[in-house]
Amino acid sequence: MSAQAKVNIWGILAALGAGISFSIIDTIAKFLSGDYPLHEMVLVRSVIALIVLLAVIMPLEGGYHLLRTHQPRLHVLRCLAVLFANLCFFTGLALMPLAEAVAIAFATPLIVTALSVIFLKEKVGIWRWGAVAVGFLGVIVIMRPGSGAFQPTAILPFLGACGYATLHVLTRRAGGSEAGSTLAFYPMFGFLLVSTLVGLTLGDGRFSDGSNPGIDFILRAWIWPAPQDWPLFIGLGVAASFGGYLVGQAYRLCEAGLVAPFEYIAMPMAVLWGVMVFNEWPEPPVWLGSGLIIGSGLVSVWRETRLHRPPSRPRPRANG
């Protein structure tokens, strides 16, 4: 096995681990969204995630000198992208079934493929462009624009997907000079700063009158977490720490178009959590659209492996 193949395997495993971590985050966030504002969940999650990152992950990776970054402006852009993505996605998640929101958010790898061509100069052939088109068709099937079943809130996870795709492309661009823990630290620190600012200025709930569930989720008053909810908040922070680190590693090690589809592991996880925790069974269009999205990603991976596998040795000719 070549050195690049080993690196690709590590990147793929990191993407799988990140997808599982993010599915846990999504489930806990949706469970807590009925009682706590978004800025409170983000603040507590960020504090716990930073503790885990600084106390466990960063020392194992090499020490605190990794906090020194060579590309501060790039990290500012990454922070803005992930803040926008979280605001849109988690607001949509609070208002929609879990599996449906996650399925729409899976437009992220498709958008990553398109953006990687524009900003990273990665080569994408007709097969992967076709996969992108099929994947977007799956998103349209789930969102059902123009039909009576269309929910305007479905636009939120799609906008979140655009933000996450921008984050991944920026991560790939920064990957050559930054460690995985460095890539994870700055978005978490950005979350901490912004959620603290929102909590101090809007945390009294004066702009939340309960008339709009989405606005209420963002701006409702801060309340001290109940004792039975602290394990969930801790799980949220631990999953965020490892998920942020693993996704940074994945996009640092491999081409964005290769590792992005492996985050699809979160789709069956979302269905499982949705059924077990919220008793939410996806509707037929969600199954169909999810199949199109996941199938398009797997086609991209299949094509990528065919293009990069070593050439086979020629067969010896038979004598005579």
Side-chain angles (χ1 to χ4, degrees), residues 12 23 51 67 117 183 202 224 231 276 303 319:
I12 289 168
S23 76
I51 291 173
L67 292 175
V117 174
L183 295 170
L202 305 175
W224 189 255
M276 292 179 58
R303 184 64 177 171
N319 293 329

Side-chain angles (χ1 to χ4, degrees), residues 31-119:
F31 187 84
L32 295 174
S33 65
D35 298 315
Y36 302 98
L38 177 60
H39 58 84
E40 179 177 356
M41 289 196 293
V42 170
L43 176 61
V44 178
R45 182 191 75 179
S46 301
V47 170
I48 296 171
L50 281 171
I51 291 173
V52 173
L53 181 70
L54 294 173
V56 179
I57 297 176
M58 191 162 282
L60 290 175
E61 196 173 31
Y64 297 111
H65 69 277
L66 296 174
L67 292 175
R68 188 183 304 112
T69 178
H70 304 284
Q71 304 183 66
R73 278 188 281 187
L74 193 62
H75 284 295
V76 171
L77 292 175
R78 292 179 70 246
C79 288
L80 292 175
V82 76
L83 285 168
F84 174 78
N86 271 245
L87 175 64
C88 294
F89 176 72
F90 285 112
T91 303
L93 190 66
L95 304 175
M96 298 174 60
L98 176 64
E100 188 170 338
V102 171
I104 295 172
F106 273 145
T108 297
L110 312 175
I111 302 169
V112 165
T113 300
L115 293 181
S116 65
V117 174
I118 300 172
F119 297 106

Side-chain angles (χ1 to χ4, degrees), residues 77-205:
L77 292 175
R78 292 179 70 246
C79 288
L80 292 175
V82 76
L83 285 168
F84 174 78
N86 271 245
L87 175 64
C88 294
F89 176 72
F90 285 112
T91 303
L93 190 66
L95 304 175
M96 298 174 60
L98 176 64
E100 188 170 338
V102 171
I104 295 172
F106 273 145
T108 297
L110 312 175
I111 302 169
V112 165
T113 300
L115 293 181
S116 65
V117 174
I118 300 172
F119 297 106
L120 301 179
K121 309 303 180 185
E122 294 181 1
K123 294 182 179 180
V124 175
I126 188 66
W127 278 87
R128 280 168 64 180
W129 279 124
V132 168
V134 172
F136 273 114
L137 176 62
V139 173
I140 292 172
V141 168
I142 297 171
M143 295 178 68
R144 287 163 280 177
S147 71
F150 173 69
Q151 303 179 53
T153 52
I155 297 173
L156 290 171
F158 181 76
L159 292 175
C162 294
Y164 283 125
T166 303
L167 168 71
H168 292 335
V169 170
L170 291 170
T171 299
R172 177 63 179 163
R173 175 168 284 188
S177 61
E178 306 284 7
S181 54
T182 310
L183 295 170
F185 172 81
Y186 286 99
M188 291 178 192
F189 188 69
F191 279 131
L192 180 63
L193 290 180
V194 173
S195 59
T196 300
L197 179 62
V198 173
L200 291 174
T201 56
L202 305 175
D204 57 1

Side-chain angles (χ1 to χ4, degrees), residues 142 267 271 281-292:
I142 297 171
M267 185 64 230
V271 172
W281 283 92
E283 297 179 0
V286 178
W287 288 109
L288 175 59
S290 300
L292 291 172

Side-chain angles (χ1 to χ4, degrees), residues 248-283:
Q249 283 287 73
Y251 285 89
R252 184 179 73 88
L253 294 172
C254 301
E255 281 193 3
L258 174 61
V259 298
F262 285 95
E263 293 185 71
Y264 288 134
I265 186 67
M267 185 64 230
M269 297 295 296
V271 172
L272 177 65
W273 295 126
V275 172
M276 292 179 58
V277 180
F278 305 107
N279 196 28
E280 296 173 347
W281 283 92
E283 297 179 0

